[in-house]
Amino acid sequence: MSSTMIAPGREAVRAADRVAAARRHVSMGETISQTMTMAWRTLKKMRRNPEQFFDVALQPILFTAMFAFIFGGAIAGDVQSYLPLMIPGILAQTVLTTCMATGTQLREDMEKGVFDRFKSLPIARIAPLAGPMVADLLRYTIAATLTFAMGLVMGYRPGGGAVGVLAAILLAIFTGWSLAWIFTWIGTIARSAQAVQGFSMMILFPLTFLSNAFVPIETLPGWLAAFVRINPVSHLVTAARDLANSALVSGEVAWTILACLIVIAIFAPLSVRSYKRHM
């Protein structure tokens, strides 16, 4: 009698394995289609919850005006002279802080049981993860565009022209998307959405403010300047300044892209591996 009994936990595992084995194979074309469907789902959630756009729509406007009028006179002598230094810094800060929402929203879906529903659907397992990552590209684009638009309203005239500004925006979007993998990974291992947000702020805010985004490195103490020079955010800000103000593809652009590729190579597999435990 005892030899034929199966522990309830083991039986549940075997049942899950049978369900997984019964899933039909999803082709690459179907995976892409389902990913775009999940991206559309994320965009519809944003439309139904306008407060999710507050950081994207209001932050660039508020931060640009606030930092320009507070620090412009003290750092550059006047607001107009400060804008070429500040706008690329605001661009980096806005896009990077926007990407924090990726992990938070992922954790919220897990807490609400949405992923339990996804498990029962004949869809690619990666689609619910990849979809929001695709949708967030729109958030980064809106944030970056509003940053430069606000700068133009205040009198900023980028010397790099439209091509330089577009290149700076694309670089910032790529950087934000790559860093979003870090927060996605945090979202799969944290216990709550509040914890994800807390961890994300502890990582991102020091990197953003301890950079050359708002002040020249030459004005900083030696020990702080040494950290700022190796800060990846500083490379992004300098690259964005070179592109927007001079249309110059400097070595900082290459360093920024290299750092982004390293982050993706490390945290994308970690995110997918941790995510699959929930699927």
Side-chain angles (χ1 to χ4, degrees):
M1 180 71 178
S2 60
S3 61
T4 60
M5 292 181 64
I6 300 177
R10 183 178 300 176
E11 179 64 24
V13 172
R14 291 181 178 177
D17 291 339
R18 288 195 295 268
V19 171
R23 289 182 175 177
R24 69 180 184 86
H25 176 72
V26 181
S27 67
M28 179 61 67
E30 290 175 321
T31 300
I32 295 174
S33 176
Q34 292 161 6
T35 297
M36 298 309 296
T37 299
M38 289 296 175
W40 179 245
R41 168 185 174 269
T42 302
L43 294 177
K44 289 180 68 176
K45 286 177 60 180
M46 295 178 187
R47 186 186 66 183
R48 294 174 181 174
N49 299 280
E51 63 273 10
Q52 293 186 9
F53 272 113
F54 285 174
D55 60 337
V56 175
L58 297 182
Q59 180 173 305
I61 298 173
L62 292 176
F63 277 21
T64 302
M66 181 175 65
F67 281 98
F69 290 112
I70 292 176
F71 298 126
I75 295 176
D78 59 78
V79 172
Q80 299 299 321
S81 301
Y82 186 50
L83 291 177
L85 175 75
M86 184 197 69
I87 294 299
I90 293 289
L91 170 70
Q93 182 197 45
T94 300
V95 172
L96 298 186
T97 53
T98 299
C99 71
M100 290 194 306
T102 304
T104 304
Q105 293 173 5
L106 179 66
R107 186 72 248 176
E108 287 178 350
D109 279 346
M110 292 179 178
E111 291 177 350
K112 294 177 181 178
V114 176
F115 275 40
D116 293 334
R117 174 58 176 164
F118 290 155
K119 292 178 184 179
S120 65
L121 298 176
I123 62 175
R125 297 176 66 183
I126 196 63
L129 175 65
M133 295 291 290
V134 173
D136 281 344
L137 292 174
L138 177 61
R139 291 167 54 86
Y140 307 148
T141 303
I142 294 174
T145 303
L146 285 177
T147 298
F148 275 103
M150 186 61 185
L152 292 173
V153 170
M154 297 181 65
Y156 174 52
R157 298 297 180 262
V163 175
V165 169
L166 179 60
I169 289 176
L170 290 177
L171 182 63
I173 291 173
F174 179 61
T175 304
W177 185 81
S178 65
L179 288 180
W181 284 107
I182 299 177
F183 305 119
T184 298
W185 176 66
I186 295 175
T188 60
I189 63 174
R191 296 185 178 182
S192 66
Q194 291 78 9
V196 175
Q197 189 171 14
F199 282 127
S200 300
M201 292 180 66
M202 289 175 59
I203 294 172
L204 199 53
F205 271 73
L207 288 177
T208 302
F209 286 99
L210 296 180
S211 71
N212 64 344
F214 305 111
V215 297
I217 297 180
E218 295 76 17
T219 63
L220 301 175
W223 61 271
L224 182 56
F227 172 79
V228 170
R229 287 190 177 93
I230 63 174
N231 186 346
V233 177
S234 295
H235 291 293
L236 169 61
V237 173
T238 303
R241 284 178 184 148
D242 292 339
L243 292 169
N245 295 330
S246 307
L248 175 64
V249 183
S250 63
E252 296 294 338
V253 176
W255 281 113
T256 302
I257 294 176
L258 177 62
C260 292
L261 293 177
I262 292 174
V263 169
I264 294 173
I266 295 174
F267 287 96
L270 287 176
S271 299
V272 172
R273 186 179 307 159
S274 180
Y275 159 81
K276 284 184 177 180
R277 296 177 186 151
H278 301 275
M279 291 292 287

